[in-house]
Amino acid sequence: MVRIHGIKSLDRDIMTLITYHFLSRKEVLMPIVNITLLPGRSPEKKEELIKNVTNSIADTLQIPKDRVHIVLYEVPKENIGSGGIPLSKKD
């Protein structure tokens, strides 16, 4: 596992692939959007989120969609706190 923003979320193979993809290009691939959310959404909902965020950014910045990169981080409730209390204890 690789620690991202203090959270174990991506395994080393995925992170290596992402890093290689970004660094192997001559131009910098931007923008990169990081979205942190609680686990439990279906793959279809994640795909819809990626598509909608990509479309919105590409339209707003007037750039090709393939320049927009979205990374989803799923964080368990026990790893997120609000007001000094983990979300897992607020249910």
XYZ file of all heavy atoms in Angstrom:
723
model
N 0.831 -1.185 0.000
C 0.000 0.000 0.000
C 0.875 1.248 0.000
O 1.942 1.262 0.565
C -0.869 0.024 1.248
C -1.816 -1.153 1.369
S -3.070 -1.102 0.128
C -4.401 -0.434 1.039
N 0.385 2.293 -0.596
C 1.068 3.582 -0.625
C 0.249 4.560 0.200
O -0.970 4.587 0.117
C 1.196 4.095 -2.076
C 1.761 5.479 -2.104
C 2.060 3.142 -2.885
N 0.907 5.360 0.994
C 0.201 6.313 1.840
C 0.007 7.610 1.051
O 0.950 8.213 0.597
C 1.027 6.574 3.098
C 0.214 7.046 4.241
C 1.032 7.047 5.518
N 0.976 5.793 6.221
C -0.040 5.406 6.979
N -1.089 6.152 7.091
N -0.011 4.272 7.621
N -1.236 8.010 0.883
C -1.580 9.220 0.159
C -2.324 10.134 1.131
O -3.331 9.731 1.689
C -2.514 8.915 -1.025
C -1.962 7.795 -1.871
C -2.842 10.172 -1.790
C -1.203 8.167 -3.070
N -1.861 11.344 1.322
C -2.510 12.276 2.243
C -2.749 11.628 3.600
O -3.781 11.837 4.224
C -3.834 12.788 1.678
C -3.681 13.536 0.391
N -3.021 14.734 0.299
C -4.078 13.232 -0.862
C -3.039 15.148 -0.953
N -3.665 14.263 -1.669
N -1.816 10.785 4.039
C -1.941 10.142 5.334
C -2.905 8.973 5.355
O -3.219 8.448 6.403
N -3.382 8.537 4.196
C -4.369 7.467 4.141
C -3.865 6.375 3.207
O -3.441 6.652 2.092
C -5.716 8.002 3.616
C -6.226 9.074 4.572
C -6.724 6.877 3.460
C -7.323 9.900 4.001
N -3.913 5.130 3.648
C -3.556 4.019 2.771
C -4.706 3.818 1.804
O -5.783 3.418 2.199
C -3.340 2.750 3.581
C -2.154 2.793 4.492
C -2.047 1.499 5.245
C -0.902 1.538 6.218
N -0.822 0.316 7.017
N -4.487 4.102 0.518
C -5.619 4.009 -0.394
C -5.315 3.367 -1.742
O -6.201 2.812 -2.341
C -6.232 5.380 -0.607
O -5.280 6.270 -1.103
N -4.105 3.469 -2.221
C -3.777 2.886 -3.514
C -2.633 1.897 -3.347
O -1.683 2.176 -2.631
C -3.331 3.967 -4.511
C -4.364 4.997 -4.923
C -3.731 6.024 -5.840
C -5.529 4.343 -5.617
N -2.740 0.757 -4.018
C -1.613 -0.161 -3.908
C -0.462 0.326 -4.777
O -0.616 1.172 -5.640
C -2.009 -1.606 -4.201
C -2.400 -1.869 -5.647
O -1.894 -1.170 -6.545
O -3.192 -2.788 -5.874
N 0.708 -0.183 -4.522
C 1.931 0.304 -5.166
C 1.875 0.187 -6.689
O 2.335 1.066 -7.409
C 3.130 -0.461 -4.596
C 4.451 0.139 -5.003
C 5.625 -0.531 -4.302
N 5.449 -0.686 -2.874
C 5.638 0.276 -1.979
N 5.979 1.476 -2.371
N 5.466 0.060 -0.690
N 1.276 -0.881 -7.230
C 1.214 -1.057 -8.686
C 0.399 0.044 -9.354
O 0.789 0.589 -10.377
C 0.613 -2.414 -9.039
C 1.520 -3.567 -8.657
O 2.741 -3.336 -8.500
O 1.017 -4.678 -8.514
N -0.731 0.402 -8.763
C -1.567 1.455 -9.338
C -0.836 2.792 -9.275
O -0.802 3.544 -10.242
C -2.920 1.541 -8.616
C -3.738 0.278 -8.892
C -3.697 2.775 -9.054
C -4.994 0.162 -8.066
N -0.231 3.085 -8.129
C 0.479 4.360 -7.981
C 1.658 4.432 -8.953
O 1.903 5.491 -9.550
C 0.953 4.510 -6.532
C 1.326 5.902 -6.167
S -0.067 7.017 -6.403
C 0.812 8.531 -6.589
N 2.367 3.342 -9.136
C 3.485 3.319 -10.083
C 2.990 3.575 -11.497
O 3.585 4.341 -12.246
C 4.222 1.968 -10.014
O 4.697 1.780 -8.688
C 5.385 1.911 -10.994
N 1.874 2.954 -11.858
C 1.306 3.151 -13.191
C 0.894 4.598 -13.407
O 1.196 5.193 -14.431
C 0.097 2.226 -13.381
C -0.621 2.332 -14.720
C 0.306 1.926 -15.853
C -1.866 1.477 -14.708
N 0.220 5.189 -12.422
C -0.196 6.594 -12.529
C 1.025 7.500 -12.653
O 1.091 8.361 -13.520
C -1.050 7.004 -11.316
C -2.399 6.292 -11.363
C -1.250 8.514 -11.273
C -3.210 6.442 -10.098
N 2.019 7.288 -11.800
C 3.231 8.106 -11.825
C 3.943 7.964 -13.167
O 4.353 8.951 -13.771
C 4.177 7.702 -10.681
O 3.480 7.862 -9.450
C 5.421 8.566 -10.672
N 4.098 6.730 -13.654
C 4.767 6.507 -14.939
C 4.018 7.218 -16.058
O 4.613 7.872 -16.898
C 4.869 5.011 -15.238
C 5.439 4.737 -16.607
C 6.800 4.884 -16.848
C 4.611 4.403 -17.666
C 7.326 4.671 -18.111
C 5.129 4.193 -18.925
C 6.478 4.324 -19.149
O 6.990 4.125 -20.391
N 2.694 7.105 -16.057
C 1.895 7.732 -17.112
C 2.112 9.239 -17.127
O 2.296 9.839 -18.172
C 0.413 7.409 -16.899
C -0.487 8.080 -17.884
N -0.557 7.693 -19.204
C -1.343 9.123 -17.753
C -1.418 8.469 -19.840
N -1.913 9.336 -18.981
N 2.105 9.875 -15.955
C 2.277 11.315 -15.883
C 3.691 11.736 -16.271
O 3.887 12.716 -16.952
C 1.943 11.841 -14.494
C 0.480 11.753 -14.156
C 0.074 11.543 -12.862
C -0.487 11.881 -15.133
C -1.272 11.471 -12.544
C -1.839 11.808 -14.829
C -2.227 11.603 -13.530
N 4.686 10.996 -15.818
C 6.068 11.404 -16.048
C 6.588 11.022 -17.433
O 7.579 11.563 -17.878
C 6.970 10.793 -14.974
C 6.702 11.269 -13.556
C 7.646 10.583 -12.582
C 6.826 12.780 -13.439
N 5.936 10.072 -18.107
C 6.439 9.628 -19.404
C 5.999 10.543 -20.544
O 6.480 10.411 -21.653
C 5.972 8.196 -19.688
O 4.567 8.152 -19.823
N 5.107 11.467 -20.267
C 4.642 12.389 -21.294
C 5.522 13.632 -21.327
O 6.042 14.053 -20.306
C 3.198 12.817 -20.994
C 2.215 11.686 -20.803
C 1.485 11.322 -22.058
N 0.919 12.459 -22.724
C -0.339 12.573 -23.064
N -1.185 11.650 -22.754
N -0.758 13.623 -23.726
N 5.658 14.218 -22.510
C 6.468 15.431 -22.625
C 5.757 16.630 -22.019
O 6.380 17.531 -21.498
C 6.796 15.694 -24.092
C 7.774 14.705 -24.664
C 8.126 15.034 -26.085
C 9.100 13.987 -26.608
N 9.471 14.215 -27.975
N 4.455 16.671 -22.116
C 3.706 17.787 -21.544
C 3.156 17.362 -20.184
O 2.945 16.194 -19.925
C 2.567 18.200 -22.466
C 1.548 17.099 -22.687
C 0.522 17.483 -23.731
O 0.899 17.982 -24.782
O -0.657 17.262 -23.460
N 2.954 18.315 -19.345
C 2.392 18.030 -18.026
C 0.897 17.803 -18.183
O 0.202 18.582 -18.825
C 2.648 19.207 -17.055
C 1.989 18.946 -15.726
C 4.137 19.438 -16.900
N 0.419 16.708 -17.623
C -0.990 16.375 -17.730
C -1.749 17.046 -16.592
O -1.647 16.652 -15.441
C -1.178 14.857 -17.669
C -0.489 14.091 -18.787
C -0.655 12.603 -18.599
C -1.038 14.508 -20.133
N -2.483 18.049 -16.923
C -3.237 18.789 -15.928
C -4.576 19.139 -16.531
O -4.696 19.230 -17.735
C -2.505 20.078 -15.560
C -1.179 19.890 -14.940
S -1.359 20.094 -13.188
C 0.292 19.793 -12.644
N -5.562 19.372 -15.753
C -5.570 19.311 -14.300
C -5.726 17.886 -13.781
O -6.224 17.013 -14.481
C -6.789 20.155 -13.921
C -7.707 20.021 -15.084
C -6.828 19.871 -16.299
N -5.288 17.695 -12.553
C -5.485 16.442 -11.829
C -6.415 16.765 -10.660
O -6.119 17.634 -9.851
C -4.158 15.878 -11.306
C -3.203 15.636 -12.467
C -4.402 14.593 -10.503
C -1.775 15.345 -12.034
N -7.546 16.094 -10.600
C -8.549 16.354 -9.573
C -8.586 15.178 -8.609
O -8.771 14.033 -9.026
C -9.944 16.554 -10.206
C -10.991 16.790 -9.140
C -9.913 17.681 -11.222
N -8.379 15.451 -7.326
C -8.460 14.423 -6.292
C -9.783 14.580 -5.561
O -10.081 15.663 -5.052
C -7.306 14.570 -5.294
C -5.974 14.366 -5.977
O -5.711 13.328 -6.549
N -5.131 15.383 -5.923
N -10.560 13.509 -5.509
C -11.855 13.528 -4.829
C -11.810 12.483 -3.720
O -11.543 11.313 -3.968
C -13.007 13.225 -5.798
C -13.035 14.263 -6.922
C -14.335 13.164 -5.046
C -14.022 13.963 -8.024
N -12.073 12.926 -2.503
C -12.117 12.026 -1.358
C -13.571 11.797 -0.986
O -14.338 12.752 -0.839
C -11.360 12.647 -0.164
O -10.027 12.943 -0.573
C -11.332 11.699 1.012
N -13.947 10.521 -0.864
C -15.316 10.203 -0.509
C -15.366 8.952 0.352
O -14.389 8.200 0.427
C -16.185 10.036 -1.762
C -15.661 9.093 -2.836
C -16.705 8.059 -3.176
C -15.342 9.902 -4.065
N -16.489 8.768 1.016
C -16.670 7.579 1.834
C -16.906 6.370 0.932
O -17.480 6.500 -0.152
C -17.864 7.764 2.773
C -17.712 8.862 3.824
C -19.023 9.076 4.562
C -16.597 8.531 4.793
N -16.477 5.182 1.359
C -16.688 3.975 0.565
C -18.173 3.630 0.457
O -18.991 4.099 1.244
C -15.961 2.889 1.362
C -15.150 3.568 2.388
C -15.718 4.932 2.574
N -18.488 2.800 -0.518
C -19.841 2.277 -0.623
C -20.562 2.599 -1.909
O -21.640 2.076 -2.162
N -19.990 3.437 -2.732
C -20.655 3.751 -3.993
C -20.340 2.687 -5.038
O -19.244 2.137 -5.063
C -20.258 5.130 -4.477
C -20.903 6.212 -3.608
C -20.233 7.536 -3.763
N -20.871 8.535 -2.944
C -20.522 8.791 -1.681
N -19.583 8.093 -1.096
N -21.126 9.743 -1.011
N -21.278 2.457 -5.907
C -21.108 1.434 -6.941
C -20.102 1.892 -7.987
O -19.881 3.106 -8.159
C -22.452 1.150 -7.620
O -22.850 2.274 -8.393
N -19.510 0.943 -8.713
C -18.612 1.328 -9.807
C -19.312 2.226 -10.833
O -18.698 3.132 -11.388
C -18.203 -0.011 -10.432
C -18.342 -0.997 -9.316
C -19.522 -0.508 -8.503
N -20.601 2.007 -11.048
C -21.346 2.828 -12.000
C -21.450 4.278 -11.522
O -21.327 5.203 -12.324
C -22.755 2.249 -12.223
C -22.776 0.887 -12.887
C -22.497 -0.280 -11.927
O -22.578 -0.104 -10.694
O -22.188 -1.371 -12.429
N -21.682 4.471 -10.225
C -21.763 5.832 -9.675
C -20.408 6.533 -9.749
O -20.327 7.725 -10.044
C -22.257 5.814 -8.221
C -23.739 5.707 -8.110
C -24.362 6.975 -8.648
C -25.859 6.889 -8.691
N -26.461 7.984 -9.437
N -19.336 5.787 -9.491
C -17.990 6.378 -9.591
C -17.696 6.771 -11.031
O -17.145 7.839 -11.290
C -16.941 5.401 -9.079
C -17.025 5.151 -7.594
C -15.958 4.146 -7.210
C -16.287 3.451 -5.927
N -15.308 2.411 -5.616
N -18.084 5.920 -11.961
C -17.880 6.232 -13.378
C -18.671 7.479 -13.775
O -18.167 8.350 -14.495
C -18.315 5.042 -14.231
C -18.060 5.232 -15.710
C -18.414 4.009 -16.529
O -18.535 2.904 -15.969
O -18.570 4.170 -17.753
N -19.894 7.590 -13.278
C -20.721 8.767 -13.557
C -20.081 10.031 -12.974
O -20.046 11.078 -13.624
C -22.113 8.562 -12.967
C -23.075 9.682 -13.251
C -24.453 9.430 -12.641
O -24.730 8.324 -12.137
O -25.253 10.383 -12.658
N -19.556 9.935 -11.759
C -18.872 11.068 -11.127
C -17.670 11.497 -11.955
O -17.494 12.683 -12.252
C -18.440 10.690 -9.709
C -17.605 11.722 -8.952
C -18.389 13.010 -8.743
C -17.140 11.144 -7.620
N -16.839 10.541 -12.344
C -15.647 10.840 -13.152
C -16.048 11.517 -14.463
O -15.454 12.520 -14.866
C -14.823 9.567 -13.397
C -14.172 9.110 -12.085
C -13.778 9.778 -14.488
C -13.559 7.721 -12.149
N -17.067 10.995 -15.109
C -17.524 11.560 -16.386
C -18.029 12.995 -16.201
O -17.652 13.897 -16.951
C -18.633 10.687 -16.970
C -19.196 11.205 -18.268
C -20.305 10.305 -18.778
C -20.902 10.866 -20.051
N -21.998 10.039 -20.551
N -18.884 13.209 -15.189
C -19.462 14.537 -14.991
C -18.425 15.581 -14.577
O -18.456 16.720 -15.056
C -20.595 14.473 -13.961
C -21.821 13.757 -14.495
O -22.038 13.685 -15.691
N -22.611 13.212 -13.594
N -17.502 15.203 -13.704
C -16.450 16.140 -13.290
C -15.536 16.447 -14.478
O -15.179 17.603 -14.716
C -15.650 15.582 -12.090
C -14.428 16.444 -11.802
C -16.535 15.493 -10.854
N -15.186 15.430 -15.237
C -14.347 15.632 -16.426
C -15.013 16.585 -17.402
O -14.388 17.534 -17.882
C -14.046 14.281 -17.111
O -13.323 13.458 -16.214
C -13.257 14.479 -18.397
N -16.285 16.342 -17.699
C -17.009 17.208 -18.644
C -17.068 18.649 -18.155
O -16.852 19.578 -18.926
C -18.423 16.676 -18.877
C -18.433 15.412 -19.698
O -17.480 15.100 -20.406
N -19.507 14.652 -19.589
N -17.357 18.819 -16.879
C -17.461 20.170 -16.326
C -16.132 20.923 -16.410
O -16.091 22.093 -16.821
C -17.921 20.088 -14.873
O -18.019 21.367 -14.313
N -15.052 20.259 -16.040
C -13.735 20.908 -16.072
C -13.310 21.193 -17.509
O -12.828 22.287 -17.811
C -12.695 20.062 -15.330
C -13.008 20.086 -13.832
C -11.275 20.546 -15.608
C -12.186 19.136 -13.011
N -13.496 20.216 -18.391
C -13.098 20.415 -19.792
C -13.883 21.564 -20.420
O -13.308 22.399 -21.127
C -13.311 19.118 -20.572
N -15.181 21.626 -20.137
C -16.001 22.715 -20.681
C -15.592 24.066 -20.102
O -15.457 25.050 -20.824
C -17.484 22.469 -20.391
C -18.055 21.297 -21.178
O -17.410 20.847 -22.150
O -19.148 20.836 -20.808
N -15.394 24.124 -18.794
C -15.056 25.376 -18.126
C -13.702 25.910 -18.580
O -13.543 27.098 -18.853
C -15.057 25.199 -16.596
O -16.361 24.766 -16.184
C -14.704 26.489 -15.887
N -12.712 25.016 -18.651
C -11.348 25.432 -19.013
C -11.095 25.406 -20.517
O -10.017 25.778 -20.968
C -10.329 24.541 -18.296
C -10.360 24.578 -16.773
C -9.314 23.625 -16.206
C -10.137 25.995 -16.258
N -12.075 24.924 -21.261
C -11.962 24.802 -22.714
C -10.717 24.011 -23.116
O -9.864 24.477 -23.883
C -11.992 26.176 -23.374
C -13.279 26.917 -23.103
C -13.318 28.305 -23.710
O -12.281 28.922 -23.967
N -14.504 28.803 -23.945
N -10.628 22.805 -22.548
C -9.521 21.897 -22.846
C -10.098 20.541 -23.250
O -11.253 20.233 -22.933
C -8.576 21.721 -21.632
C -9.332 21.169 -20.423
C -7.897 23.042 -21.288
C -8.450 20.822 -19.230
N -9.302 19.723 -23.950
C -9.776 18.386 -24.309
C -9.996 17.535 -23.055
O -9.260 17.658 -22.074
C -8.638 17.808 -25.149
C -7.803 18.970 -25.560
C -7.982 20.018 -24.520
N -10.993 16.679 -23.106
C -11.314 15.819 -21.969
C -10.156 14.916 -21.576
O -9.988 14.591 -20.398
C -12.546 14.976 -22.269
C -13.809 15.786 -22.348
C -14.986 14.903 -22.697
C -16.205 15.773 -22.944
N -17.348 14.970 -23.375
N -9.343 14.508 -22.530
C -8.237 13.595 -22.199
C -7.117 14.269 -21.410
O -6.200 13.606 -20.936
C -7.690 12.910 -23.447
C -7.039 13.874 -24.434
O -7.126 15.100 -24.246
O -6.439 13.371 -25.405
N -7.202 15.574 -21.233
C -6.233 16.292 -20.390
C -6.638 16.294 -18.919
O -5.852 16.638 -18.051
C -6.086 17.752 -20.855
C -5.564 17.938 -22.260
C -4.058 17.923 -22.379
N -3.359 18.728 -21.422
C -2.974 19.988 -21.601
N -3.236 20.599 -22.720
N -2.314 20.612 -20.656
N -7.909 15.953 -18.638
C -8.448 15.973 -17.273
C -8.264 14.589 -16.639
O -8.638 13.581 -17.224
C -9.943 16.354 -17.272
C -10.491 16.360 -15.856
C -10.162 17.699 -17.955
N -7.686 14.570 -15.440
C -7.443 13.316 -14.730
C -8.115 13.367 -13.366
O -7.944 14.343 -12.624
C -5.941 13.073 -14.583
C -5.264 13.039 -15.913
N -5.250 11.927 -16.703
C -4.642 14.018 -16.610
C -4.615 12.203 -17.832
N -4.244 13.471 -17.797
N -8.882 12.338 -13.074
C -9.627 12.262 -11.825
C -9.096 11.095 -11.015
O -8.942 9.986 -11.535
C -11.134 12.032 -12.087
C -11.692 13.006 -13.124
C -11.923 12.051 -10.778
C -11.703 14.442 -12.726
N -8.815 11.329 -9.726
C -8.385 10.268 -8.815
C -9.376 10.241 -7.653
O -9.582 11.260 -6.987
C -6.957 10.502 -8.276
C -6.544 9.377 -7.343
C -5.965 10.647 -9.422
N -10.006 9.083 -7.441
C -10.942 8.930 -6.333
C -10.241 8.241 -5.173
O -9.589 7.213 -5.352
C -12.150 8.090 -6.759
C -12.977 8.611 -7.934
C -14.134 7.659 -8.215
C -13.486 10.006 -7.666
N -10.383 8.812 -3.997
C -9.854 8.226 -2.765
C -11.037 7.860 -1.886
O -11.818 8.731 -1.513
C -8.965 9.227 -2.003
C -7.740 9.643 -2.752
C -7.680 10.877 -3.392
C -6.625 8.813 -2.811
C -6.549 11.265 -4.086
C -5.492 9.204 -3.504
C -5.464 10.427 -4.136
O -4.343 10.808 -4.821
N -11.154 6.582 -1.557
C -12.204 6.146 -0.646
C -11.615 6.031 0.751
O -10.669 5.286 0.964
C -12.791 4.817 -1.095
C -13.580 4.953 -2.384
C -14.292 3.678 -2.756
O -13.649 2.616 -2.765
O -15.502 3.762 -3.030
N -12.179 6.785 1.677
C -11.648 6.853 3.025
C -12.696 6.322 4.002
O -13.828 6.828 4.026
C -11.276 8.308 3.383
C -10.704 8.385 4.781
C -10.305 8.877 2.365
N -12.344 5.331 4.823
C -13.300 4.825 5.809
C -13.674 5.902 6.824
O -12.886 6.798 7.131
C -12.541 3.691 6.504
C -11.350 3.408 5.663
C -11.078 4.626 4.840
N -14.880 5.791 7.384
C -15.379 6.786 8.342
C -14.462 6.947 9.544
O -14.364 8.030 10.104
C -16.776 6.409 8.819
C -17.849 6.653 7.801
C -19.210 6.341 8.398
C -20.302 6.657 7.409
N -21.629 6.442 8.012
N -13.795 5.884 9.960
C -12.918 5.990 11.130
C -11.665 6.815 10.844
O -10.960 7.214 11.765
C -12.539 4.608 11.696
C -11.754 3.738 10.750
C -12.627 2.819 9.897
O -13.852 3.005 9.819
O -12.049 1.910 9.284
N -11.394 7.116 9.581
C -10.222 7.911 9.208
C -10.563 9.365 8.888
O -9.717 10.104 8.399
C -9.516 7.279 8.012
C -8.853 5.970 8.358
O -8.729 5.615 9.518
N -8.434 5.239 7.356
N -11.810 9.760 9.130
C -12.230 11.142 8.898
C -12.874 11.648 10.186
O -13.690 10.947 10.793
C -13.258 11.244 7.752
C -12.666 10.727 6.449
C -13.723 12.691 7.573
C -13.658 10.690 5.302
N -12.518 12.850 10.591
C -13.104 13.421 11.794
C -13.708 14.774 11.536
O -13.290 15.506 10.647
N -14.698 15.101 12.323
C -15.339 16.405 12.251
C -15.624 16.850 13.683
O -16.233 16.109 14.457
C -16.640 16.294 11.448
O -17.328 17.523 11.458
N -15.151 18.029 14.036
C -15.349 18.514 15.386
C -14.650 17.665 16.435
O -15.096 17.573 17.571
N -13.547 17.029 16.032
C -12.780 16.206 16.967
C -13.322 14.803 17.167
O -12.817 14.052 18.008
N -14.334 14.425 16.406
C -14.952 13.109 16.565
C -14.898 12.369 15.225
O -15.288 12.923 14.194
C -16.419 13.252 17.007
C -16.492 14.025 18.340
C -17.100 11.898 17.137
C -17.891 14.444 18.717
N -14.420 11.104 15.228
C -14.444 10.325 13.984
C -15.889 10.173 13.471
O -16.816 10.023 14.263
C -13.863 8.966 14.384
C -13.144 9.205 15.661
C -13.859 10.341 16.338
N -16.042 10.223 12.157
C -17.379 10.054 11.585
C -18.003 8.719 11.965
O -19.221 8.605 12.082
C -17.327 10.180 10.052
C -17.042 11.560 9.490
C -17.090 11.527 7.961
C -18.016 12.599 10.007
N -17.161 7.704 12.184
C -17.671 6.383 12.561
C -18.402 6.409 13.906
O -19.232 5.555 14.180
C -16.548 5.366 12.598
O -15.557 5.762 13.557
N -18.117 7.400 14.735
C -18.790 7.509 16.037
C -19.971 8.467 16.018
O -20.631 8.648 17.017
C -17.783 7.938 17.100
C -16.718 6.892 17.329
C -15.980 7.135 18.588
C -15.026 5.940 18.788
N -14.407 5.985 20.086
N -20.216 9.082 14.863
C -21.336 10.025 14.766
C -22.599 9.358 14.241
O -23.629 9.977 14.180
C -20.959 11.201 13.863
C -19.939 12.122 14.496
C -19.794 13.364 13.663
C -18.973 14.376 14.435
N -19.049 15.694 13.838
N -22.508 8.115 13.832
C -23.697 7.403 13.292
C -24.664 7.039 14.387
O -24.422 6.780 15.479
C -23.279 6.147 12.527
C -22.578 6.502 11.217
O -22.774 7.605 10.721
O -21.875 5.619 10.691
